[in-house]
Amino acid sequence: MGWEEAQARGYEEFVRTAQRYHGRPIFALFCGDKDAEGRSWCPDCVTAEPVVRKELHNLPDESVFIYCLVGDRPYWKDPNNEFRRNLKLTAVPTILKYGTPQKLVEEECFKAELVRMLFTED
Amino acid sequence: GKNEYDLLVIGGGSGGLACAKEAAQFGRKVAVLDYVEPSPQGTSWGLGGTCVNVGCIPKKLMHQAALLGSALKDAQHYGWNIAQPVHHTWSVMAQGVQNYVKSLNWGHRVQLQDKKVKYFNMKGSFSDPHTVRGLTKAGKETIVTADNIVLATGGRPKYPTHIAGALEYGITSDDLFWLKESPGKTLPSFILYVSLECAGFLTGIGLDTTVMMRSIPLRGFDQASQMASLVTEHMESYGTKFLKRCFPTKVEKLKSNRLQVTWKNTDLGTEESDSFDTVMWAVGRAPDTKTLNLETVGVKTNSETGKIIVDASEATSVPHIYAIGDITEGRPELTPTAIAAGKLLAQRLFGQSSELMDYDNVPTTVFTPLEYGCVGLSEEAAVQCHGSDNIEVFHAYYKPLEFTVAERDATQCYMKMVCLREREQRILGLHFIGPNAGEVIQGFALAIKCGATYPQLMKTVGIHPTCAEEVTKLHITKRSGLDATVTGC
């Protein structure tokens, strides 16, 4: 079985989604919310998303890719939001391997080789 | 040239990574081979070398865990309501430390990738002077050729294999930092700074810890034994047990799964034994050269230590093969010197620099419960070099302000400074035992590098109230025989 994608909006839905796939390798991309035209308020997320999506075919079998919209800009700027507090996220976009210290932040997400490394490294 | 890489670095530790990254800055084609042979107990780890995985980093974090335990005890005196006794859970600390180390492994991976350094998780061995055969854990082979090769494979803890049961039942620092469960009642054996540091934090988190030593503590450090004795005295007063002038003869496993250690007490001429949960060996480190195949290419090593012989430019006996870090003969086994040597080497190879590494006056610190920091010559080295008539030793016993209200014993808080006696009275060495010794000594390392003198130090105003300010007030000499205890301000 290859990999599959799940979507989540907001922290609680993210946690529920991750719990649903407990036991399988989980990768997550966190981006700012998108408007009616599908554009995110976070310009770096707009740049990162296509780069990440192009590397998804490198995901290991059985793994899950969670695409998570964190919220609007004021929510994200709040230093106490749940993503910052509980997941220790410092910026969007962040792409991480859930449950490990392995992650890429901001411009690191623009680099295909780094994204590929995150997906394929042990 | 015909070789695939400009530079191949074998060993992804402090020295190796620094050298590789610096060379990549010059736009060179660089590759790094890193491989961790699992310890006899099966422990292994990621990229970053000894410092990151089984040395400085986890050691300092666990030392901090122990210091926090002491702070919690002091806290009552400062008004905090904390139920005593306070308990420590190894697995919580271990997980925090191990997670941080793993984030460093990942950070190094990202950095190498980002700087376009090719990384192979493989064990390297020479086929010929410009060709290295890399082997993965699964046995897959890759051939790498390079114009220049840097050996930076570091060292691993030795086992006292002549002691029955030592290899099968004992662990080393390689394993200690990766234990998921508490080591329980532990016997770190013999004396090197590693065993004192480990014994120190194990005691500090509440474990029953005994250090067995055949002869003298802290071999290689201030041999007047003064500093070493003060450090171990402090540890003793804080609960670490010491079995002095004893050496183990065998280790056996009991039905309970505990370990029975038998030893000879050379003072009393008796044989004794006791049971422990863990026996940890700290009998020295051996350079990791066995599988490199150095003989094939003619890289010379020291016959006694096995370390690679290098000249002032880190060159080995083979022209384009260099070595840095713990693997080299006569160099300090320290991260900062390996990093600096690695960077300078890359600058000389690819950056038109001719600057050599300066190994003089390297400051260092032993992170025992009461820390010992030093820079420059030991008292004994100074005497040997200049003669006791030509040096002056200033010293003082002091009490950190923080110890007063907490009613802590400051008996071993001590400092001494070794100076030349004549002319400008240049400072040759500074030795400090006390809290935050590393932080205290760092700044003085610059002073010594600049050739600071005793009169200049006396003109330096101290920061009050600190322990470090006592350095600027040193005035009692050993020669005078006067009481060196600092009195109040």
Side-chain angles (χ1 to χ4, degrees):
Chain A
M1 174 202 185
W3 59 274
E4 68 180 272
E5 176 165 346
Q7 312 235 332
R9 266 200 91 185
Y11 182 74
E12 269 162 39
E13 201 184 331
F14 172 76
V15 171
R16 271 200 314 272
T17 311
Q19 272 167 2
R20 198 184 330 141
Y21 293 105
H22 178 71
R24 292 163 63 175
I26 298 172
F27 298 86
L29 173 62
F30 299 93
C31 292
D33 276 3
K34 290 176 165 168
D35 61 20
E37 276 91 55
R39 249 190 332 267
S40 175
W41 56 259
C42 160
D44 285 350
C45 301
V46 174
T47 312
E49 192 177 334
V51 176
V52 172
R53 289 203 168 277
K54 233 167 147 210
E55 297 299 322
L56 289 178
H57 67 276
N58 288 307
L59 283 170
D61 284 343
E62 302 286 318
S63 62
V64 180
F65 172 70
I66 303 180
Y67 178 71
C68 179
L69 294 175
V70 298
D72 59 25
R73 193 193 218 110
Y75 167 81
W76 179 252
K77 291 299 182 189
D78 172 13
N80 280 319
N81 75 56
E82 296 111 319
F83 288 101
R84 291 187 194 268
R85 238 194 8 248
N86 304 339
L87 282 178
K88 308 284 184 271
L89 294 194
T90 54
V92 282
T94 290
I95 178 163
L96 54 76
K97 187 171 181 180
Y98 193 60
T100 76
Q102 292 170 8
K103 65 177 181 178
L104 298 170
V105 178
E106 292 175 303
E107 314 84 54
E108 291 175 343
C109 303
F110 303 168
K111 299 176 181 170
E113 328 82 59
L114 290 183
V115 176
R116 200 178 311 139
M117 191 174 78
L118 178 73
F119 288 165
T120 56
E121 279 290 298
D122 208 3
Chain B
K2 54 177 167 61
N3 293 309
E4 200 185 343
Y5 291 94
D6 295 310
L7 176 69
L8 169 64
V9 177
I10 308 183
S14 303
L17 290 178
C19 187
K21 289 175 192 172
E22 187 73 13
Q25 305 273 68
F26 291 108
R28 294 298 177 149
K29 201 160 175 226
V30 184
V32 170
L33 254 62
D34 187 65
Y35 187 82
V36 180
E37 189 70 51
S39 75
Q41 297 297 339
T43 311
S44 186
W45 49 86
L47 180 63
T50 296
C51 173
V52 163
N53 293 287
V54 286
C56 327
I57 301 295
K59 178 264 301 279
K60 187 86 190 290
L61 289 171
M62 292 195 177
H63 169 64
Q64 175 65 4
L67 290 179
L68 289 170
S70 298
L72 287 171
K73 293 197 189 99
D74 289 353
Q76 297 174 105
H77 297 276
Y78 283 90
W80 289 99
N81 301 315
I82 299 180
Q84 301 285 335
V86 192
H87 295 288
H88 181 267
T89 304
W90 175 275
S91 54
V92 174
M93 172 185 73
Q95 192 170 58
V97 171
Q98 289 156 21
N99 275 345
Y100 179 65
V101 170
K102 287 180 185 158
S103 76
L104 293 179
N105 298 144
W106 174 250
H108 280 304
R109 287 291 287 112
V110 171
Q111 277 201 316
L112 286 186
Q113 182 73 35
D114 219 23
K115 291 184 177 353
K116 311 264 184 290
V117 173
K118 181 79 184 146
Y119 162 70
F120 296 101
N121 185 204
M122 297 182 177
K123 187 153 67 169
S125 62
F126 280 104
S127 305
D128 73 46
H130 287 279
T131 310
V132 170
R133 184 169 159 257
L135 217 55
T136 66
K137 196 165 156 186
K140 188 175 142 224
E141 186 185 285
T142 302
I143 306 289
V144 184
T145 58
D147 287 346
N148 301 281
I149 299 177
V150 174
L151 305 173
T153 53
R156 294 297 290 268
K158 287 195 241 189
Y159 270 83
T161 46
H162 58 283
I163 298 172
L167 190 62
E168 300 93 299
Y169 306 124
I171 66 167
T172 67
S173 55
D174 279 358
D175 310 293
L176 182 70
F177 299 115
W178 291 95
L179 291 178
K180 299 262 183 299
E181 295 303 325
S182 171
K185 182 180 172 194
T186 308
L187 177 74
S189 176
F190 289 57
I191 284 282
L192 283 173
Y193 79 88
V194 169
S195 104
L196 286 187
E197 287 175 326
C198 291
F201 71 70
L202 290 172
T203 305
I205 60 175
L207 298 176
D208 180 350
T209 309
T210 307
V211 179
M212 188 178 295
M213 49 205 255
R214 186 169 199 144
S215 57
I216 47 172
L218 286 178
R219 190 189 300 278
F221 281 80
D222 192 278
Q223 280 293 58
S225 282
Q226 195 188 17
M227 309 311 272
S229 308
L230 289 169
V231 163
T232 53
E233 255 171 53
H234 179 267
M235 289 174 66
E236 252 176 315
S237 70
Y238 268 80
T240 304
K241 299 180 192 142
F242 281 84
L243 288 169
K244 296 177 187 169
R245 282 174 288 283
C246 297
F247 64 90
T249 50
K250 64 178 171 195
V251 181
E252 296 160 298
K253 194 150 204 176
L254 299 168
K255 267 201 211 61
S256 62
N257 261 340
R258 299 188 92 215
L259 300 170
Q260 186 77 14
V261 181
T262 309
W263 65 87
K264 267 222 169 68
N265 183 318
T266 60
D267 267 351
L268 307 171
T270 53
E271 200 178 69
E272 288 152 22
S273 85
D274 195 0
S275 62
F276 300 87
D277 296 302
T278 304
V279 175
M280 190 191 101
W281 306 110
V283 301
R285 296 177 70 82
D288 205 344
T289 54
K290 269 178 240 53
T291 54
L292 282 173
N293 220 3
L294 295 177
E295 318 74 43
T296 303
V297 291
V299 170
K300 293 209 176 75
T301 58
N302 178 297
S303 53
E304 210 186 293
T305 63
K307 292 188 176 185
I308 299 179
I309 299 170
V310 291
D311 66 17
S313 68
E314 330 297 352
T316 66
S317 49
V318 179
H320 60 280
I321 301 179
Y322 304 84
I324 55 174
D326 287 6
I327 202 181
T328 49
E329 178 60 37
R331 305 287 193 224
E333 289 184 2
L334 296 170
T335 279
T337 49
I339 290 175
K343 283 193 178 145
L344 289 172
L345 175 60
Q347 286 165 12
R348 291 194 304 273
L349 286 175
F350 306 114
Q352 273 96 50
S353 163
S354 54
E355 192 188 338
L356 297 175
M357 176 63 191
D358 181 1
Y359 288 98
D360 279 337
N361 297 319
V362 171
T364 181
T365 295
V366 182
F367 293 98
T368 36
L370 201 59
E371 299 171 8
Y372 167 38
C374 61
V375 58
L377 297 181
S378 67
E379 188 179 335
E380 284 203 346
V383 167
Q384 203 168 51
C385 196
H386 302 278
S388 55
D389 280 342
N390 297 317
I391 63 158
E392 196 75 85
V393 181
F394 299 90
H395 67 157
Y397 285 92
Y398 68 97
K399 186 162 191 170
L401 179 65
E402 293 79 5
F403 280 31
T404 54
V405 168
E407 293 173 13
R408 278 233 231 156
D409 179 14
T411 312
Q412 289 88 22
C413 292
Y414 176 79
M415 61 181 74
K416 71 177 171 184
M417 188 166 64
V418 184
C419 302
L420 281 175
R421 216 168 161 198
E422 30 98 89
R423 286 186 296 163
E424 74 267 349
Q425 297 173 279
R426 190 160 53 87
I427 302 171
L428 299 173
L430 180 63
H431 302 261
F432 175 94
I433 293 183
N436 307 303
E439 308 294 353
V440 170
I441 289 289
Q442 181 68 87
F444 289 108
L446 174 63
I448 289 192
K449 207 153 201 73
C450 295
T453 65
Y454 181 72
Q456 285 176 318
L457 182 65
M458 286 305 105
K459 289 211 189 75
T460 306
V461 179
I463 301 171
H464 185 71
T466 63
C467 299
E469 68 173 308
E470 300 300 337
V471 178
T472 67
K473 300 189 212 156
L474 283 166
H475 64 285
I476 304 283
T477 63
K478 277 197 176 180
R479 181 172 271 114
S480 70
L482 295 170
D483 178 12
T485 309
V486 169
T487 48
C489 75

